[in-house]
Amino acid sequence: MLTYTPPHEQDLPPATEKPWLLLLLCLAWLLPGLLGLEPLKPDEPIVADIVRHFIDGHPLSLPMLAGEAWVERAPLFYWVATGFAWLGQWLGLSLHEGARLATGCFMALALWGTGMTARELIGRRHGRSAVLILIGCAGLLLPGHALTTDVAVLAGWCWGGYALALAPRRPYPAAAILGAALATCGLAGSLAEPAMLLLLALLLPLFRAWRFPRYGIVLLIALAIALPLVAAWPMALSHASTAAYGQWLDHYALGFFGGFAQVQLGHPFGYYLRLLPWFAWPAWFLAAATLWMQRERLMQPRFQLPLVAAALALLCLLLSNSGRAGYALLLLPPLAWIGAVGLDVLRRGASAFVNWFGVMTFGLLALFLWGCWLAMHFGLPMRLSGRIQELAPSFSPTFSILALLLCLGFTLAWLWAVSRRRPVGRQAVTNWAAGITLCWGLAVLIAGNWVNARTSYRDFARTIAPSLPKTGCIASENLQASQRAILHYYLGLSTLRREVHPNPACDWLLRQGGSEALNPPPGWQLVWQGSRPGDRKERFYLYRQDAP
């Protein structure tokens, strides 16, 4: 097996996979979760509040969260989400549901770019393999359906990979695509992401496939397209708010590494080493198996681009100052490209392990989700039903024929998928992708309302609203950014943070504490206290200052 030479593309047997089945699987993975869920911490409340700020007619150059500038990430995703939210209002969608359609748009672009890169690097039939490996990654599931700027950066990174793979064959279209990809990374993330993509492009001429006369022209055209676009927002921000521009430049401009005031390296030790084994599964396992089996062919162009891309992404993760899971998304496409190379020649034992592990894991998880459905609607088994109600006391199940039919459709489609006969490598990744799609669809359809009841701040906002003053300012203490965003999103409430304004002249104070009760500060009277239903870690206290 180790001396096996893959057949040339013209010698491959006719493809048995149907493109429409791949498209259907991608849609089944992508669509559940975009609608019907309330904003979830940590990113979604922040993005939803920024989108509301833009829809209210404020300048697009200055993102604001609860009355304060928010410049941790560049605003391209916020702009696109605002457009979708505006269109969604005409369809009767809530603001955050409409904005979440931008996530679906960027994720579709990321999957498309991943498939195009694999097809260009490896050959026909391998694009779908890379897409299946990518959507099977456990770490992509939640950010791939959430309001987060990371998916826009991921889309730019994937299309940047395609541009570099295309450059030896069609340099001028590749230059335009590379320029757009660089601009997307810079306008959706920070300066670090386009710099990493540009560094990848500069390293590739170390290999013969990218040492052709017009490669320099490709880079010049790409930079001519990207640099004015990337520079446009910081310039607009500096005109809109000098303070916000200084904050971005000093603390956030370099993304992974902080800002220019002080480049910061090093995150909590071992964070990504603990994250990646499950986050990038099964992509890292398939990539590792491919590299071992094809270790004598690693100097082929189909390995060179993804290996350099993966090395750069991993190096940035290990050196970065931020322990943020969203940054690890950039490692997934290169691993998928490498894994796709060896999928058809993967050893039967490795393929059987991935296939068996996926079928058993997702089959059992699907059975558990169906058990949750029975417990929610029929109270059986009683112990599970009681636990579900205990974790979300405000949850009230509603029976939906449409949701039941969709759940049955997901289950039957998965049973059909795992029973089909295909080459063992492709069968393994197809069954894995189908399994993760099945469980995600069942989780959203069965437990979506339960998740809203347990994690949403909407009921909390309705509970505290009658106790808030009609006029005057409210100080706050120990509120996270997502909590301030939630209060502003649902109630229009902006507070003066004591962390920024040590002695605000406010007669009201909102504090957040943990499981242990907080005593009123001297001179303050407790007016209200509460938390989200079933939440024992966060409790909020509203105080009014005693009259002198």
Side-chain angles (χ1 to χ4, degrees):
M1 181 63 72
L2 294 178
T3 60
Y4 175 77
T5 302
H8 295 293
E9 189 168 316
Q10 61 266 25
D11 299 328
L12 289 174
T16 57
E17 301 93 339
K18 297 178 175 58
W20 66 269
L21 286 176
L22 176 64
L23 178 61
L24 189 61
L25 178 61
C26 291
L27 290 175
W29 179 89
L30 189 61
L31 294 180
L34 296 182
L35 304 178
L37 296 178
E38 296 293 323
L40 302 175
K41 292 197 314 179
D43 291 336
E44 289 202 309
I46 295 172
V47 177
D49 192 49
I50 293 173
V51 168
R52 181 178 292 282
H53 173 79
F54 285 153
I55 280 189
D56 289 341
H58 295 93
L60 296 176
S61 58
L62 182 58
M64 300 282 286
L65 183 151
E68 299 181 15
W70 185 263
V71 290
E72 285 194 6
R73 306 287 274 176
L76 176 62
F77 182 81
Y78 307 144
W79 295 341
V80 177
T82 300
F84 276 101
W86 183 81
L87 292 174
Q89 291 179 339
W90 295 92
L91 301 175
L93 301 178
S94 63
L95 184 145
H96 57 270
E97 287 179 315
R100 211 179 273 130
L101 296 177
T103 300
C105 176
F106 279 113
M107 271 310 309
L109 287 173
L111 296 177
W112 186 14
T114 299
M116 293 290 285
T117 306
R119 180 181 175 89
E120 186 66 32
L121 278 176
I122 313 168
R124 68 179 178 89
R125 299 176 57 187
H126 292 283
R128 69 190 69 185
S129 300
V131 172
L132 290 172
I133 295 172
L134 184 62
I135 66 175
C137 290
L140 186 63
L141 193 58
L142 291 181
H145 298 85
L147 278 172
T148 173
T149 59
D150 297 320
V151 295
V153 176
L154 178 65
W157 177 247
C158 292
W159 280 95
Y162 174 61
L164 295 173
L166 184 65
R169 189 169 64 88
R170 301 187 63 189
Y172 294 114
I177 297 172
L178 181 60
L182 287 167
T184 300
C185 290
L187 286 173
S190 67
L191 299 181
E193 289 88 353
M196 187 168 66
L197 181 55
L198 181 60
L199 181 58
L200 172 61
L202 292 174
L203 289 175
L204 287 180
L206 295 173
F207 308 109
R208 182 179 302 175
W210 283 271
R211 285 202 299 266
F212 57 91
R214 287 179 290 180
Y215 189 73
I217 299 176
V218 170
L219 297 185
L220 289 176
I221 294 175
L223 289 174
I225 294 172
L227 286 179
L229 295 175
V230 173
W233 176 66
M235 294 174 62
L237 179 64
S238 66
H239 288 291
S241 172
T242 304
Y245 173 74
Q247 183 184 16
W248 172 80
L249 193 67
D250 291 343
H251 301 289
Y252 303 115
L254 297 180
F256 296 112
F257 310 114
F260 287 101
Q262 183 179 2
V263 177
Q264 299 176 349
L265 301 176
H267 57 275
F269 178 75
Y271 173 80
Y272 289 109
L273 297 180
R274 293 190 302 269
L275 175 77
L276 291 175
W278 69 264
F279 190 91
W281 177 270
W284 71 262
F285 176 81
L286 296 172
T290 297
L291 292 176
W292 174 256
M293 292 171 51
Q294 304 284 321
R295 59 187 181 275
E296 297 177 357
R297 303 181 179 89
L298 296 185
M299 293 308 295
Q300 295 177 350
R302 59 182 181 175
F303 284 113
Q304 291 164 348
L305 171 59
L307 278 174
V308 176
L312 284 175
L314 184 60
L315 181 64
C316 286
L317 291 179
L318 295 179
L319 294 179
S320 73
N321 181 55
S322 174
R324 176 184 171 90
Y327 289 143
L329 292 177
L330 300 182
L331 188 60
L332 300 184
L335 294 179
W337 298 330
I338 297 172
V341 174
L343 197 60
D344 288 331
V345 294
L346 194 64
R347 286 185 172 180
R348 182 172 294 273
S351 300
F353 168 72
V354 174
N355 186 43
W356 173 85
F357 185 65
V359 171
M360 292 297 296
T361 299
F362 296 120
L364 292 174
L365 183 55
L367 283 176
F368 172 74
L369 290 169
W370 275 110
C372 291
W373 183 84
L374 291 173
M376 289 176 181
H377 295 283
F378 299 99
L380 297 174
M382 295 179 61
R383 186 173 180 179
L384 179 59
S385 177
R387 183 61 175 166
I388 289 172
Q389 197 63 41
E390 178 187 352
L391 291 174
S394 63
F395 171 65
S396 179
T398 55
F399 184 80
S400 170
I401 292 293
L402 177 60
L404 177 59
L405 291 177
L406 289 174
C407 288
L408 289 172
F410 272 104
T411 305
L412 293 175
W414 176 75
L415 291 173
W416 174 76
V418 299
S419 64
R420 294 184 68 208
R421 289 293 181 184
R422 290 174 297 273
V424 288
R426 292 177 181 270
Q427 185 175 24
V429 297
T430 301
N431 290 348
W432 187 276
I436 206 167
T437 302
L438 164 70
C439 292
W440 175 248
L442 291 181
V444 170
L445 292 168
I446 292 174
N449 291 332
W450 181 84
V451 171
N452 283 337
R454 176 165 172 76
T455 63
S456 171
Y457 282 89
R458 182 184 291 274
D459 292 338
F460 159 75
R462 289 173 178 171
T463 304
I464 194 177
S467 302
L468 295 173
K470 304 299 181 185
T471 58
C473 69
I474 302 177
S476 64
E477 186 177 291
N478 201 31
L479 291 187
Q480 301 171 7
S482 57
Q483 294 165 341
R484 292 186 290 115
I486 281 292
L487 291 170
H488 192 260
Y489 179 69
Y490 285 123
L491 301 175
L493 174 64
S494 296
T495 63
L496 292 179
R497 291 190 292 148
R498 283 186 163 185
E499 295 84 354
V500 179
H501 309 280
N503 296 301
C506 298
D507 295 331
W508 294 79
L509 172 65
L510 180 63
R511 303 171 75 192
Q512 184 230 323
S515 56
E516 297 182 1
L518 294 180
N519 295 321
W524 294 84
Q525 178 185 356
L526 180 64
V527 175
W528 177 92
Q529 62 174 310
S531 63
R532 291 180 295 171
D535 191 339
R536 301 175 181 175
K537 296 182 179 179
E538 295 178 359
R539 193 160 187 85
F540 298 87
Y541 302 84
L542 180 65
Y543 305 101
R544 183 177 59 205
Q545 194 168 27
D546 291 338

